[in-house]
Amino acid sequence: EAAVTQSPRNKVTVTGGNVTLSCRQTNSHNYMYWYRQDTGHGLRLIHYSYGAGNLQIGDVPDGYKATRTTQEDFFLLLELASPSQTSLYFCASSDVWGHLNERLFFGHGTKLSVL
Amino acid sequence: GDSVTQTEGPVTLSEGTSLTVNCSYETKQYPTLFWYVQYPGEGPQLLFKVPKANEKGSNRGFEATYNKEATSFHLQKASVQESDSAVYYCALSPSSNTNKVVFGTGTRLQVLP
């Protein structure tokens, strides 16, 4: 079973603060993703990447940067955090899509509170 | 654009009763359809997927049929258990050429003993 580890599990910051969320996957997957989960909105894609140095824009990218430093590591950066970014953030990984491989493996989430 | 609409929760049922969670989708492509389940304190995990129209997927007593004509993918279970309490997400991947998944808003299910 694919392993995706997120850190920290909980984070509290103030408005205007600088936050980095980390994600590591150990299953040699090409794709990694950042989602945010909010009541009434479900899971929404922020950014994703298909390999080291690559970044693709998701559906709700405003206010977020991301960087994929290695095949294993994907970071989400909030440089000027705002209360609207208070959310539960999930990292996920997947192999290259094909009918047998179409599935996402999620981490346990990072709960971020921006005061 | 691509979208998924599903039953708005929460849904509260007694053990042994039947479940239907409605899911409809919009896309101009030929999607794969998914149901994911999220238990408290965990990330979502795949329940099952169906890549082709008119086929059925199933797992752990849950099932859904990919109805292309009705653009629907309703989740059903004949007899729910307390352990089925979770959030259920309907989702689609627009085509095999993209590694993106679009999720619905989720349906929280609570099963009472």
Side-chain angles (χ1 to χ4, degrees):
Chain A
E1 185 75 6
V4 179
T5 304
Q6 295 182 233
S7 61
R9 293 295 299 270
N10 291 281
K11 176 72 177 179
V12 179
T13 191
V14 295
T15 299
N18 201 321
V19 177
T20 298
L21 307 185
S22 303
C23 178
R24 167 166 284 197
Q25 57 95 5
T26 58
N27 288 274
S28 302
H29 285 165
N30 295 88
Y31 283 81
M32 295 185 74
Y33 311 78
W34 279 106
Y35 284 88
R36 61 178 289 174
Q37 183 180 54
D38 304 285
T39 302
H41 294 279
L43 289 154
R44 294 180 290 175
L45 181 64
I46 304 170
H47 292 298
Y48 66 108
S49 165
Y50 59 72
N54 175 264
L55 182 65
Q56 303 294 312
I57 305 300
D59 299 320
V60 289
D62 292 347
Y64 301 96
K65 294 184 179 179
T67 180
R68 180 90 176 267
T69 55
T70 65
Q71 187 177 32
E72 294 80 18
D73 298 303
F74 195 31
F75 300 93
L76 185 68
L77 295 81
L78 292 73
E79 294 184 331
L80 286 172
S82 73
S84 65
Q85 294 176 308
T86 294
S87 187
L88 182 57
Y89 291 86
F90 284 100
C91 177
S93 72
S94 76
D95 207 342
V96 174
W97 243 216
H99 287 319
L100 292 178
N101 297 331
E102 281 174 313
R103 62 177 295 182
L104 298 175
F105 294 87
F106 284 87
H108 280 71
T110 294
K111 184 176 181 181
L112 174 66
S113 297
V114 183
L115 305 178
Chain B
D2 306 311
S3 67
V4 175
T5 303
Q6 62 182 101
T7 299
E8 192 170 326
V11 173
T12 302
L13 297 174
S14 298
E15 254 189 340
T17 59
S18 64
L19 169 72
T20 297
V21 179
N22 290 330
C23 173
S24 61
Y25 66 90
E26 285 189 34
T27 181
K28 294 182 179 179
Q29 302 185 66
Y30 301 93
T32 292
L33 301 178
F34 306 82
W35 277 102
Y36 278 80
V37 58
Q38 183 180 17
Y39 298 104
E42 299 183 8
Q45 58 185 270
L46 182 68
L47 185 58
F48 57 84
K49 67 180 182 184
V50 180
K52 293 183 180 179
N54 303 320
E55 293 190 352
K56 179 187 286 188
S58 63
N59 188 17
R60 304 183 208 171
F62 292 90
E63 63 181 29
T65 299
Y66 184 157
N67 187 327
K68 183 181 176 184
E69 288 68 36
T71 62
S72 68
F73 191 54
H74 305 319
L75 181 68
Q76 296 180 309
K77 187 173 186 182
S79 176
V80 295
Q81 305 299 311
E82 192 176 359
S83 58
D84 294 327
S85 296
V87 178
Y88 292 83
Y89 284 98
C90 184
L92 69 82
S93 179
S95 77
S96 60
N97 294 326
T98 174
N99 265 61
K100 286 183 66 174
V101 178
V102 176
F103 288 86
T105 53
T107 301
R108 181 175 298 278
L109 171 65
Q110 182 179 18
V111 181
L112 303 176

